[in-house]
Amino acid sequence: DSAILFALMGARRVVAVEPSPWAYNVAKKNITINGLNNVVILVNCAVAREDGRTLMLPSTETTTGFRVAVIATGAEGDVPVPTCTLDTLIERYGPFDVLKMDCEGCEYESIPYSRRIGEVKEVLVEYHGGYEDIVRKLREEGFKNIKYLLPGEGGKLYEKPVNLQLGLIYASRQQ
C-alpha cells in the first residue's frame, strides 16, 4: 500500500520489497489495477543480512499469514523465499531519496550491516525491540537529523524515543 501511495503522491520511481509470495501477488495486482507498472518496481525477497534464501513460517501473528524464519526449520508448510541485503537493493535499484522500512524485524538484520545506507537521503524505519543499533549506524553514516515518532500519532516528532521497544525513527542527512 505504501508503494502505491508514494507513486500516487508523485514519486517518479518506487521500489517495493515483499517476501511473502501471497502478499507479493496481491501487491502486483494492486500495482497493475492502479496503472503503476511503469512507476513501481516490485521485488520478491526478504531483506536480510545476506543474499540467499530463507524460509517463511506460517503464522497467525501477521497480516500476510507468514513470518520470516531466521533459522530454517524445514517443517511442513514452510515457504522458501529469496533474501537480499539492503546493499544489494541500493546497488540494483538505487540511488534512493527515501527508504521506508516496516519489515517486522529485518531492520536489525539489514541497517547495522549495510555499507551503503549512507547513500540514502532520508530514512523512516519502524523498530520492534530497541532502536540503539539502528540509530548508531545512521549517525555513523552521516545522518544528522534523527527524530522519533509513535505509530498512530499523526507525525508528531520527538527528540528522544518515547517508547524504547516500538516506534518509528526518522533520519535525514540535513539538519
Side-chain angles (χ1 to χ4, degrees), residues 16 38 65 70 72 112 128 147 161:
N38 60 339
V70 176
H128 296 88
K147 306 283 184 196

Side-chain angles (χ1 to χ4, degrees), residues 73-140:
T73 64
E76 187 175 334
D78 292 354
V79 176
V81 296
T83 61
C84 57
T85 66
L86 195 51
D87 290 351
T88 296
L89 291 169
I90 292 169
E91 180 180 318
R92 288 185 189 162
Y93 304 104
F96 299 129
D97 290 333
V98 178
L99 171 66
K100 179 212 176 254
M101 292 182 82
D102 181 1
C103 57
E104 308 308 316
C106 84
E107 61 272 17
Y108 303 108
E109 287 291 311
S110 57
I111 291 175
Y113 302 97
S114 175
R115 295 178 316 279
R116 300 188 75 168
I117 188 79
E119 297 174 27
V120 178
K121 294 178 184 174
E122 295 179 78
V123 172
L124 179 63
V125 59
E126 182 179 86
Y127 62 90
H128 296 88
Y131 61 93
E132 295 90 348
D133 291 343
I134 296 167
V135 170
R136 185 179 310 111
K137 178 65 172 184
L138 293 173
R139 283 197 175 113
E140 287 172 5

